[in-house]
Amino acid sequence: MQVRHVRLSAVLALLTAASLTGGLAQAGPAAADPLPPPLGPAQSEPAEPEPSQVDTTEDKPIRPGEGDPILAAGDRGKAVKVLQVRLQRVGVRDMPTTGRYGKETVAQVKAFQKQLKFARTGAVDEATLKALEARTGKVDQIALATGADKPYGGRLPASCQHGKVVCVDQRARTVRWVVNGKVKMRLDARFGSAETPTREGVFVVQRKSRDHVSTLYHTSMPFALFFDGGQAVHYSPDFARRGYAGASHGCVNTRDYNAMKTLFGRAKLGDRVVVYTSRSPEQLKKSKKK
């Protein structure tokens, strides 16, 4: 009985093995992941992606004043002289036209750039130069000579050569304080328009008004030296701010506050005021030929 039981166990084991083998045969091989198509002759294996290198910095726009310098500290020559005349016309302070781009010129350029809210570099780039040119117009030889304190009509007229005189040259756009033929002070000047011209002639200081305000135009006229009715030599805040872009109503405007204050203190009632127009270079040449 024991032998028979062993044989049955063996037969059952064989049948079980056969059954499993047949099931596997019917099921076939296990499905595999599909393979990519073979690469063609013109294709290559894609490169491994590299870590992203994105430039997060943006190019900052160039502000007016920060462009490439056309004129800058250390420059010399006529172009600098022209620049200095333009700065005289838009600036509050008078400055000499030396033709040397030094500390004073840098300071004046920065002051102008500040007015326009440009970058205050002290150097003249294209934007700064265009703004200056738009506000100051043409700079001719007369303007260059005036800036150098050598106005055309170089000799003072005879009426300015004796005593104390406020000598006003409309062509040279200057007011000079002259004592016995020697120029002691020079101020930039602006005059009336074609509709309200500044009268020429020999006058005297008729009255002085330190803090004068025009009753006709309601404008401030500090340190006014009246020489002919309502016409006076005085400091003009508008001239200081706008330069030669404007005009007076017949008065002689100056734009250097401290210089006009000094002149107001020196000039006395009865001192002469001479208003004239010096001759142009062409007129001087013609007179020499005669």
Short mmCIF file of all heavy atoms in Angstrom, two decimals, residues 162-227:
data_model
loop_
_atom_site.label_atom_id
_atom_site.label_comp_id
_atom_site.label_asym_id
_atom_site.label_seq_id
_atom_site.Cartn_x
_atom_site.Cartn_y
_atom_site.Cartn_z
N HIS A 162 34.86 158.49 -19.23
CA HIS A 162 35.17 159.43 -18.16
C HIS A 162 34.15 159.28 -17.03
O HIS A 162 32.94 159.15 -17.28
CB HIS A 162 35.15 160.87 -18.69
CG HIS A 162 36.10 161.09 -19.83
ND1 HIS A 162 37.47 161.21 -19.67
CD2 HIS A 162 35.88 161.19 -21.17
CE1 HIS A 162 38.04 161.38 -20.84
NE2 HIS A 162 37.11 161.38 -21.77
N GLY A 163 34.66 159.27 -15.82
CA GLY A 163 33.78 159.13 -14.67
C GLY A 163 33.30 157.70 -14.47
O GLY A 163 33.90 156.75 -14.97
N LYS A 164 32.21 157.59 -13.73
CA LYS A 164 31.61 156.28 -13.47
C LYS A 164 30.41 156.10 -14.38
O LYS A 164 29.48 156.91 -14.36
CB LYS A 164 31.19 156.17 -12.01
CG LYS A 164 32.37 156.24 -11.03
CD LYS A 164 31.89 156.17 -9.60
CE LYS A 164 33.07 156.25 -8.64
NZ LYS A 164 32.63 156.19 -7.22
N VAL A 165 30.46 155.02 -15.17
CA VAL A 165 29.45 154.84 -16.21
C VAL A 165 28.95 153.38 -16.24
O VAL A 165 29.75 152.44 -16.18
CB VAL A 165 30.01 155.19 -17.61
CG1 VAL A 165 28.90 155.19 -18.65
CG2 VAL A 165 30.74 156.52 -17.59
N VAL A 166 27.62 153.21 -16.36
CA VAL A 166 27.03 151.91 -16.69
C VAL A 166 26.95 151.88 -18.21
O VAL A 166 26.09 152.52 -18.81
CB VAL A 166 25.64 151.75 -16.05
CG1 VAL A 166 25.05 150.38 -16.43
CG2 VAL A 166 25.70 151.89 -14.54
N CYS A 167 27.90 151.17 -18.83
CA CYS A 167 28.05 151.19 -20.28
C CYS A 167 27.41 149.93 -20.87
O CYS A 167 27.85 148.81 -20.60
CB CYS A 167 29.54 151.25 -20.61
SG CYS A 167 29.91 151.66 -22.32
N VAL A 168 26.38 150.12 -21.69
CA VAL A 168 25.55 149.01 -22.18
C VAL A 168 25.69 148.88 -23.69
O VAL A 168 25.32 149.79 -24.43
CB VAL A 168 24.07 149.23 -21.81
CG1 VAL A 168 23.23 148.05 -22.27
CG2 VAL A 168 23.92 149.46 -20.31
N ASP A 169 26.24 147.75 -24.15
CA ASP A 169 26.43 147.49 -25.59
C ASP A 169 25.44 146.41 -26.02
O ASP A 169 25.55 145.25 -25.63
CB ASP A 169 27.88 147.03 -25.82
CG ASP A 169 28.20 146.85 -27.30
OD1 ASP A 169 27.26 146.81 -28.12
OD2 ASP A 169 29.39 146.73 -27.63
N GLN A 170 24.49 146.80 -26.88
CA GLN A 170 23.46 145.84 -27.28
C GLN A 170 24.00 144.78 -28.25
O GLN A 170 23.53 143.65 -28.23
CB GLN A 170 22.27 146.58 -27.92
CG GLN A 170 21.51 147.43 -26.92
CD GLN A 170 20.08 147.71 -27.35
OE1 GLN A 170 19.23 146.83 -27.31
NE2 GLN A 170 19.82 148.95 -27.78
N ARG A 171 24.96 145.15 -29.10
CA ARG A 171 25.50 144.15 -30.01
C ARG A 171 26.31 143.11 -29.24
O ARG A 171 26.19 141.92 -29.47
CB ARG A 171 26.39 144.77 -31.09
CG ARG A 171 26.90 143.73 -32.09
CD ARG A 171 27.78 144.37 -33.15
NE ARG A 171 27.07 145.36 -33.93
CZ ARG A 171 26.21 145.07 -34.92
NH1 ARG A 171 25.97 143.82 -35.24
NH2 ARG A 171 25.61 146.04 -35.58
N ALA A 172 27.14 143.56 -28.33
CA ALA A 172 27.97 142.66 -27.55
C ALA A 172 27.20 142.00 -26.41
O ALA A 172 27.71 141.09 -25.77
CB ALA A 172 29.18 143.40 -26.99
N ARG A 173 25.98 142.48 -26.16
CA ARG A 173 25.12 141.95 -25.11
C ARG A 173 25.83 141.97 -23.76
O ARG A 173 25.91 140.96 -23.07
CB ARG A 173 24.64 140.54 -25.47
CG ARG A 173 23.76 140.53 -26.71
CD ARG A 173 23.00 139.27 -26.90
NE ARG A 173 23.85 138.14 -27.23
CZ ARG A 173 23.39 137.00 -27.77
NH1 ARG A 173 22.10 136.88 -28.03
NH2 ARG A 173 24.20 136.02 -28.03
N THR A 174 26.33 143.14 -23.42
CA THR A 174 27.05 143.28 -22.16
C THR A 174 26.67 144.57 -21.44
O THR A 174 26.31 145.57 -22.08
CB THR A 174 28.58 143.31 -22.36
OG1 THR A 174 28.91 144.39 -23.25
CG2 THR A 174 29.10 142.02 -22.93
N VAL A 175 26.77 144.51 -20.12
CA VAL A 175 26.75 145.70 -19.29
C VAL A 175 28.12 145.77 -18.63
O VAL A 175 28.56 144.80 -18.00
CB VAL A 175 25.65 145.62 -18.21
CG1 VAL A 175 25.79 146.79 -17.22
CG2 VAL A 175 24.27 145.63 -18.83
N ARG A 176 28.81 146.91 -18.82
CA ARG A 176 30.13 147.07 -18.20
C ARG A 176 30.10 148.25 -17.25
O ARG A 176 29.59 149.32 -17.59
CB ARG A 176 31.20 147.26 -19.28
CG ARG A 176 31.52 145.99 -20.05
CD ARG A 176 32.48 146.24 -21.20
NE ARG A 176 31.81 146.88 -22.32
CZ ARG A 176 32.40 147.23 -23.46
NH1 ARG A 176 33.70 147.00 -23.61
NH2 ARG A 176 31.74 147.80 -24.44
N TRP A 177 30.65 148.04 -16.08
CA TRP A 177 30.81 149.12 -15.11
C TRP A 177 32.20 149.70 -15.33
O TRP A 177 33.20 149.02 -15.14
CB TRP A 177 30.65 148.60 -13.69
CG TRP A 177 30.92 149.57 -12.60
CD1 TRP A 177 31.87 149.44 -11.63
CD2 TRP A 177 30.25 150.80 -12.32
NE1 TRP A 177 31.84 150.51 -10.76
CE2 TRP A 177 30.85 151.37 -11.17
CE3 TRP A 177 29.21 151.50 -12.96
CZ2 TRP A 177 30.43 152.58 -10.63
CZ3 TRP A 177 28.80 152.71 -12.42
CH2 TRP A 177 29.40 153.24 -11.27
N VAL A 178 32.24 150.93 -15.79
CA VAL A 178 33.49 151.55 -16.21
C VAL A 178 33.81 152.73 -15.29
O VAL A 178 32.95 153.59 -15.05
CB VAL A 178 33.40 152.04 -17.67
CG1 VAL A 178 34.75 152.59 -18.14
CG2 VAL A 178 32.94 150.91 -18.59
N VAL A 179 35.03 152.76 -14.80
CA VAL A 179 35.47 153.86 -13.95
C VAL A 179 36.70 154.50 -14.60
O VAL A 179 37.75 153.85 -14.74
CB VAL A 179 35.82 153.36 -12.53
CG1 VAL A 179 36.31 154.53 -11.67
CG2 VAL A 179 34.60 152.70 -11.89
N ASN A 180 36.52 155.74 -15.06
CA ASN A 180 37.60 156.49 -15.71
C ASN A 180 38.25 155.68 -16.85
O ASN A 180 39.47 155.60 -16.96
CB ASN A 180 38.66 156.92 -14.70
CG ASN A 180 38.10 157.92 -13.70
OD1 ASN A 180 37.29 158.78 -14.07
ND2 ASN A 180 38.50 157.81 -12.44
N GLY A 181 37.41 155.09 -17.67
CA GLY A 181 37.88 154.39 -18.86
C GLY A 181 38.32 152.95 -18.63
O GLY A 181 38.70 152.26 -19.58
N LYS A 182 38.29 152.46 -17.38
CA LYS A 182 38.71 151.09 -17.09
C LYS A 182 37.50 150.24 -16.70
O LYS A 182 36.71 150.63 -15.84
CB LYS A 182 39.74 151.07 -15.96
CG LYS A 182 41.06 151.73 -16.33
CD LYS A 182 42.07 151.59 -15.20
CE LYS A 182 43.41 152.23 -15.60
NZ LYS A 182 44.43 152.11 -14.51
N VAL A 183 37.39 149.08 -17.36
CA VAL A 183 36.26 148.18 -17.09
C VAL A 183 36.50 147.44 -15.78
O VAL A 183 37.48 146.71 -15.63
CB VAL A 183 36.08 147.17 -18.25
CG1 VAL A 183 34.94 146.21 -17.93
CG2 VAL A 183 35.82 147.89 -19.57
N LYS A 184 35.60 147.65 -14.82
CA LYS A 184 35.73 147.02 -13.51
C LYS A 184 34.84 145.78 -13.37
O LYS A 184 35.15 144.87 -12.60
CB LYS A 184 35.34 148.03 -12.42
CG LYS A 184 36.20 149.29 -12.39
CD LYS A 184 37.64 148.95 -12.04
CE LYS A 184 38.49 150.21 -11.91
NZ LYS A 184 39.89 149.91 -11.54
N MET A 185 33.76 145.76 -14.11
CA MET A 185 32.82 144.62 -14.06
C MET A 185 32.22 144.41 -15.44
O MET A 185 32.10 145.36 -16.22
CB MET A 185 31.67 144.87 -13.07
CG MET A 185 32.03 144.92 -11.62
SD MET A 185 30.55 145.27 -10.62
CE MET A 185 29.54 143.84 -11.02
N ARG A 186 31.86 143.16 -15.73
CA ARG A 186 31.12 142.86 -16.96
C ARG A 186 30.01 141.88 -16.65
O ARG A 186 30.23 140.87 -15.98
CB ARG A 186 32.04 142.26 -18.03
CG ARG A 186 31.36 142.12 -19.40
CD ARG A 186 32.18 141.25 -20.34
NE ARG A 186 32.14 139.86 -19.94
CZ ARG A 186 31.15 139.01 -20.24
NH1 ARG A 186 30.11 139.43 -20.93
NH2 ARG A 186 31.21 137.76 -19.85
N LEU A 187 28.81 142.15 -17.16
CA LEU A 187 27.66 141.28 -16.95
C LEU A 187 27.01 140.96 -18.29
O LEU A 187 26.95 141.83 -19.18
CB LEU A 187 26.61 141.94 -16.05
CG LEU A 187 26.97 142.27 -14.61
CD1 LEU A 187 27.75 143.58 -14.52
CD2 LEU A 187 25.71 142.38 -13.76
N ASP A 188 26.53 139.74 -18.46
CA ASP A 188 25.74 139.40 -19.64
C ASP A 188 24.43 140.19 -19.59
O ASP A 188 23.87 140.42 -18.52
CB ASP A 188 25.42 137.91 -19.67
CG ASP A 188 26.63 137.07 -20.03
OD1 ASP A 188 27.62 137.64 -20.52
OD2 ASP A 188 26.60 135.84 -19.82
N ALA A 189 23.94 140.58 -20.77
CA ALA A 189 22.73 141.40 -20.82
C ALA A 189 21.76 140.90 -21.89
O ALA A 189 22.16 140.33 -22.90
CB ALA A 189 23.09 142.86 -21.08
N ARG A 190 20.48 141.14 -21.63
CA ARG A 190 19.40 140.84 -22.57
C ARG A 190 18.54 142.09 -22.67
O ARG A 190 18.39 142.83 -21.69
CB ARG A 190 18.60 139.65 -22.05
CG ARG A 190 17.54 139.13 -22.99
CD ARG A 190 16.83 137.92 -22.39
NE ARG A 190 15.93 138.31 -21.30
CZ ARG A 190 15.06 137.47 -20.72
NH1 ARG A 190 15.02 136.20 -21.08
NH2 ARG A 190 14.27 137.89 -19.74
N PHE A 191 17.96 142.30 -23.84
CA PHE A 191 17.27 143.58 -24.08
C PHE A 191 15.83 143.37 -24.51
O PHE A 191 15.32 142.25 -24.53
CB PHE A 191 18.04 144.38 -25.13
CG PHE A 191 19.49 144.55 -24.78
CD1 PHE A 191 20.46 143.71 -25.30
CD2 PHE A 191 19.89 145.54 -23.88
CE1 PHE A 191 21.79 143.84 -24.95
CE2 PHE A 191 21.22 145.69 -23.53
CZ PHE A 191 22.17 144.83 -24.07
N GLY A 192 15.19 144.49 -24.88
CA GLY A 192 13.79 144.43 -25.29
C GLY A 192 13.60 143.77 -26.64
O GLY A 192 14.55 143.60 -27.42
N SER A 193 12.36 143.41 -26.93
CA SER A 193 12.01 142.80 -28.21
C SER A 193 11.81 143.89 -29.27
O SER A 193 11.92 145.09 -28.97
CB SER A 193 10.73 141.99 -28.07
OG SER A 193 9.63 142.85 -27.75
N ALA A 194 11.50 143.47 -30.48
CA ALA A 194 11.25 144.45 -31.56
C ALA A 194 10.03 145.31 -31.22
O ALA A 194 9.97 146.50 -31.60
CB ALA A 194 11.03 143.72 -32.88
N GLU A 195 9.06 144.75 -30.51
CA GLU A 195 7.85 145.50 -30.15
C GLU A 195 8.11 146.46 -28.98
O GLU A 195 7.49 147.52 -28.89
CB GLU A 195 6.71 144.53 -29.78
CG GLU A 195 6.18 143.70 -30.93
CD GLU A 195 7.13 142.57 -31.33
OE1 GLU A 195 7.96 142.17 -30.46
OE2 GLU A 195 7.05 142.10 -32.48
N THR A 196 9.01 146.07 -28.10
CA THR A 196 9.32 146.92 -26.93
C THR A 196 10.83 147.08 -26.84
O THR A 196 11.47 146.51 -25.96
CB THR A 196 8.77 146.29 -25.64
OG1 THR A 196 9.28 144.95 -25.51
CG2 THR A 196 7.25 146.24 -25.65
N PRO A 197 11.44 147.85 -27.73
CA PRO A 197 12.91 147.94 -27.77
C PRO A 197 13.49 148.73 -26.61
O PRO A 197 12.81 149.56 -26.00
CB PRO A 197 13.16 148.65 -29.11
CG PRO A 197 11.93 149.48 -29.31
CD PRO A 197 10.80 148.67 -28.77
N THR A 198 14.74 148.47 -26.33
CA THR A 198 15.49 149.24 -25.33
C THR A 198 16.00 150.51 -26.01
O THR A 198 16.64 150.45 -27.07
CB THR A 198 16.67 148.43 -24.79
OG1 THR A 198 16.18 147.22 -24.21
CG2 THR A 198 17.44 149.21 -23.74
N ARG A 199 15.71 151.64 -25.42
CA ARG A 199 16.10 152.91 -26.03
C ARG A 199 17.60 153.14 -25.88
O ARG A 199 18.18 152.82 -24.83
CB ARG A 199 15.31 154.07 -25.40
CG ARG A 199 13.84 154.07 -25.80
CD ARG A 199 13.11 155.27 -25.20
NE ARG A 199 12.86 155.10 -23.78
CZ ARG A 199 11.83 154.44 -23.28
NH1 ARG A 199 10.95 153.86 -24.10
NH2 ARG A 199 11.65 154.36 -21.97
N GLU A 200 18.22 153.72 -26.92
CA GLU A 200 19.64 154.02 -26.88
C GLU A 200 19.85 155.51 -26.62
O GLU A 200 19.00 156.34 -26.91
CB GLU A 200 20.31 153.62 -28.21
CG GLU A 200 20.28 152.12 -28.45
CD GLU A 200 21.19 151.70 -29.60
OE1 GLU A 200 21.69 152.58 -30.32
OE2 GLU A 200 21.40 150.48 -29.75
N GLY A 201 21.02 155.81 -26.06
CA GLY A 201 21.35 157.20 -25.78
C GLY A 201 22.19 157.31 -24.53
O GLY A 201 22.63 156.31 -23.97
N VAL A 202 22.41 158.55 -24.12
CA VAL A 202 23.17 158.82 -22.89
C VAL A 202 22.17 159.31 -21.84
O VAL A 202 21.49 160.33 -22.03
CB VAL A 202 24.26 159.89 -23.14
CG1 VAL A 202 25.00 160.19 -21.85
CG2 VAL A 202 25.23 159.41 -24.22
N PHE A 203 22.11 158.57 -20.74
CA PHE A 203 21.14 158.86 -19.68
C PHE A 203 21.91 158.95 -18.35
O PHE A 203 23.15 158.90 -18.32
CB PHE A 203 20.10 157.74 -19.59
CG PHE A 203 19.48 157.37 -20.91
CD1 PHE A 203 19.99 156.32 -21.68
CD2 PHE A 203 18.38 158.05 -21.39
CE1 PHE A 203 19.43 155.97 -22.89
CE2 PHE A 203 17.80 157.72 -22.61
CZ PHE A 203 18.33 156.66 -23.36
N VAL A 204 21.17 159.10 -17.26
CA VAL A 204 21.75 159.04 -15.92
C VAL A 204 20.86 158.13 -15.06
O VAL A 204 19.69 157.90 -15.39
CB VAL A 204 21.87 160.43 -15.26
CG1 VAL A 204 22.82 161.32 -16.04
CG2 VAL A 204 20.50 161.08 -15.09
N VAL A 205 21.44 157.64 -13.97
CA VAL A 205 20.64 156.86 -13.02
C VAL A 205 19.69 157.83 -12.32
O VAL A 205 20.10 158.71 -11.57
CB VAL A 205 21.54 156.15 -11.98
CG1 VAL A 205 20.67 155.39 -10.97
CG2 VAL A 205 22.52 155.21 -12.67
N GLN A 206 18.38 157.69 -12.61
CA GLN A 206 17.38 158.61 -12.08
C GLN A 206 16.87 158.17 -10.71
O GLN A 206 16.59 158.99 -9.86
CB GLN A 206 16.20 158.70 -13.06
CG GLN A 206 16.59 159.27 -14.41
CD GLN A 206 15.45 159.15 -15.42
OE1 GLN A 206 14.50 158.38 -15.23
NE2 GLN A 206 15.55 159.92 -16.50
N ARG A 207 16.75 156.85 -10.53
CA ARG A 207 16.34 156.34 -9.22
C ARG A 207 16.78 154.89 -9.09
O ARG A 207 17.05 154.20 -10.09
CB ARG A 207 14.83 156.47 -9.01
CG ARG A 207 13.95 155.67 -9.96
CD ARG A 207 12.49 156.06 -9.80
NE ARG A 207 11.63 155.37 -10.73
CZ ARG A 207 10.85 154.33 -10.42
NH1 ARG A 207 10.85 153.87 -9.17
NH2 ARG A 207 10.08 153.76 -11.32
N LYS A 208 16.82 154.42 -7.85
CA LYS A 208 17.23 153.05 -7.56
C LYS A 208 16.13 152.37 -6.73
O LYS A 208 15.55 152.99 -5.85
CB LYS A 208 18.55 153.03 -6.78
CG LYS A 208 19.73 153.66 -7.52
CD LYS A 208 20.95 153.81 -6.63
CE LYS A 208 21.48 152.50 -6.14
NZ LYS A 208 22.77 152.64 -5.40
N SER A 209 15.88 151.10 -7.05
CA SER A 209 14.85 150.35 -6.32
C SER A 209 15.38 148.93 -6.09
O SER A 209 15.46 148.14 -7.04
CB SER A 209 13.53 150.32 -7.08
OG SER A 209 12.55 149.60 -6.37
N ARG A 210 15.70 148.64 -4.85
CA ARG A 210 16.36 147.37 -4.53
C ARG A 210 15.47 146.16 -4.77
O ARG A 210 15.91 145.15 -5.32
CB ARG A 210 16.83 147.39 -3.07
CG ARG A 210 17.61 146.16 -2.65
CD ARG A 210 17.99 146.21 -1.19
NE ARG A 210 18.77 145.04 -0.81
CZ ARG A 210 20.09 144.97 -0.90
NH1 ARG A 210 20.78 146.01 -1.34
NH2 ARG A 210 20.72 143.88 -0.53
N ASP A 211 14.23 146.21 -4.34
CA ASP A 211 13.31 145.06 -4.46
C ASP A 211 12.11 145.44 -5.31
O ASP A 211 10.94 145.19 -4.93
CB ASP A 211 12.86 144.59 -3.07
CG ASP A 211 14.03 144.15 -2.20
OD1 ASP A 211 14.79 143.28 -2.65
OD2 ASP A 211 14.17 144.69 -1.08
N HIS A 212 12.36 145.99 -6.46
CA HIS A 212 11.29 146.53 -7.29
C HIS A 212 10.45 145.42 -7.94
O HIS A 212 10.96 144.37 -8.32
CB HIS A 212 11.87 147.41 -8.40
CG HIS A 212 10.84 148.25 -9.09
ND1 HIS A 212 10.38 149.44 -8.56
CD2 HIS A 212 10.16 148.07 -10.25
CE1 HIS A 212 9.48 149.95 -9.37
NE2 HIS A 212 9.33 149.13 -10.41
N VAL A 213 9.13 145.69 -8.03
CA VAL A 213 8.20 144.81 -8.76
C VAL A 213 7.44 145.69 -9.75
O VAL A 213 6.88 146.73 -9.38
CB VAL A 213 7.21 144.10 -7.81
CG1 VAL A 213 6.20 143.28 -8.60
CG2 VAL A 213 7.96 143.22 -6.82
N SER A 214 7.41 145.27 -11.01
CA SER A 214 6.76 146.07 -12.05
C SER A 214 5.25 146.16 -11.79
O SER A 214 4.57 145.15 -11.61
CB SER A 214 6.99 145.42 -13.42
OG SER A 214 6.19 146.04 -14.41
N THR A 215 4.74 147.38 -11.76
CA THR A 215 3.30 147.57 -11.58
C THR A 215 2.54 147.28 -12.87
O THR A 215 1.34 147.02 -12.84
CB THR A 215 3.00 149.01 -11.13
OG1 THR A 215 3.56 149.92 -12.09
CG2 THR A 215 3.61 149.29 -9.76
N LEU A 216 3.25 147.32 -14.01
CA LEU A 216 2.61 147.09 -15.30
C LEU A 216 2.57 145.60 -15.65
O LEU A 216 1.55 145.07 -16.09
CB LEU A 216 3.35 147.86 -16.39
CG LEU A 216 2.76 147.80 -17.81
CD1 LEU A 216 1.33 148.33 -17.82
CD2 LEU A 216 3.63 148.58 -18.78
N TYR A 217 3.71 144.90 -15.41
CA TYR A 217 3.80 143.48 -15.79
C TYR A 217 3.81 142.54 -14.59
O TYR A 217 3.79 141.32 -14.77
CB TYR A 217 5.06 143.25 -16.63
CG TYR A 217 5.09 144.08 -17.90
CD1 TYR A 217 5.93 145.19 -18.00
CD2 TYR A 217 4.27 143.77 -18.97
CE1 TYR A 217 5.96 145.96 -19.16
CE2 TYR A 217 4.29 144.53 -20.13
CZ TYR A 217 5.13 145.62 -20.21
OH TYR A 217 5.15 146.39 -21.35
N HIS A 218 3.87 143.12 -13.38
CA HIS A 218 3.84 142.32 -12.13
C HIS A 218 4.99 141.31 -12.08
O HIS A 218 4.81 140.17 -11.65
CB HIS A 218 2.49 141.60 -11.97
CG HIS A 218 1.31 142.53 -12.11
ND1 HIS A 218 1.00 143.49 -11.15
CD2 HIS A 218 0.40 142.67 -13.11
CE1 HIS A 218 -0.07 144.16 -11.55
NE2 HIS A 218 -0.45 143.69 -12.73
N THR A 219 6.14 141.72 -12.56
CA THR A 219 7.33 140.87 -12.53
C THR A 219 8.38 141.46 -11.59
O THR A 219 8.43 142.67 -11.39
CB THR A 219 7.94 140.72 -13.94
OG1 THR A 219 8.19 142.03 -14.49
CG2 THR A 219 7.00 139.96 -14.86
N SER A 220 9.21 140.57 -11.05
CA SER A 220 10.25 141.00 -10.12
C SER A 220 11.41 141.66 -10.86
O SER A 220 11.87 141.15 -11.89
CB SER A 220 10.75 139.78 -9.34
OG SER A 220 11.80 140.14 -8.47
N MET A 221 11.88 142.80 -10.35
CA MET A 221 12.99 143.55 -10.95
C MET A 221 14.00 143.94 -9.87
O MET A 221 14.19 145.13 -9.59
CB MET A 221 12.47 144.80 -11.67
CG MET A 221 11.50 144.54 -12.80
SD MET A 221 10.67 146.07 -13.38
CE MET A 221 12.06 147.13 -13.79
N PRO A 222 14.67 142.98 -9.25
CA PRO A 222 15.60 143.32 -8.16
C PRO A 222 16.75 144.21 -8.64
O PRO A 222 17.20 144.09 -9.77
CB PRO A 222 16.11 141.95 -7.71
CG PRO A 222 15.12 140.96 -8.21
CD PRO A 222 14.59 141.54 -9.48
N PHE A 223 17.22 145.07 -7.75
CA PHE A 223 18.39 145.93 -7.98
C PHE A 223 18.21 146.79 -9.24
O PHE A 223 19.11 146.88 -10.09
CB PHE A 223 19.67 145.10 -8.08
CG PHE A 223 19.85 144.14 -6.94
CD1 PHE A 223 19.92 142.77 -7.16
CD2 PHE A 223 19.92 144.60 -5.64
CE1 PHE A 223 20.07 141.89 -6.11
CE2 PHE A 223 20.08 143.72 -4.58
CZ PHE A 223 20.14 142.36 -4.80
N ALA A 224 17.06 147.42 -9.35
CA ALA A 224 16.74 148.21 -10.55
C ALA A 224 17.42 149.57 -10.51
O ALA A 224 17.29 150.32 -9.54
CB ALA A 224 15.23 148.37 -10.69
N LEU A 225 18.15 149.89 -11.60
CA LEU A 225 18.74 151.21 -11.81
C LEU A 225 17.97 151.87 -12.96
O LEU A 225 18.23 151.60 -14.13
CB LEU A 225 20.23 151.08 -12.16
CG LEU A 225 21.13 150.39 -11.13
CD1 LEU A 225 22.53 150.17 -11.72
CD2 LEU A 225 21.21 151.21 -9.84
N PHE A 226 17.00 152.71 -12.64
CA PHE A 226 16.16 153.33 -13.67
C PHE A 226 16.92 154.47 -14.34
O PHE A 226 17.50 155.34 -13.66
CB PHE A 226 14.86 153.84 -13.05
CG PHE A 226 13.90 152.75 -12.67
CD1 PHE A 226 13.91 152.21 -11.39
CD2 PHE A 226 13.01 152.24 -13.60
CE1 PHE A 226 13.04 151.19 -11.05
CE2 PHE A 226 12.13 151.22 -13.27
CZ PHE A 226 12.14 150.70 -11.98
N PHE A 227 16.89 154.45 -15.69
CA PHE A 227 17.63 155.47 -16.43
C PHE A 227 16.77 156.24 -17.42
O PHE A 227 17.17 157.31 -17.89
CB PHE A 227 18.82 154.85 -17.17
CG PHE A 227 18.45 153.79 -18.19
CD1 PHE A 227 18.12 154.12 -19.49
CD2 PHE A 227 18.43 152.46 -17.83
CE1 PHE A 227 17.78 153.15 -20.43
CE2 PHE A 227 18.10 151.48 -18.76
CZ PHE A 227 17.77 151.81 -20.05
#
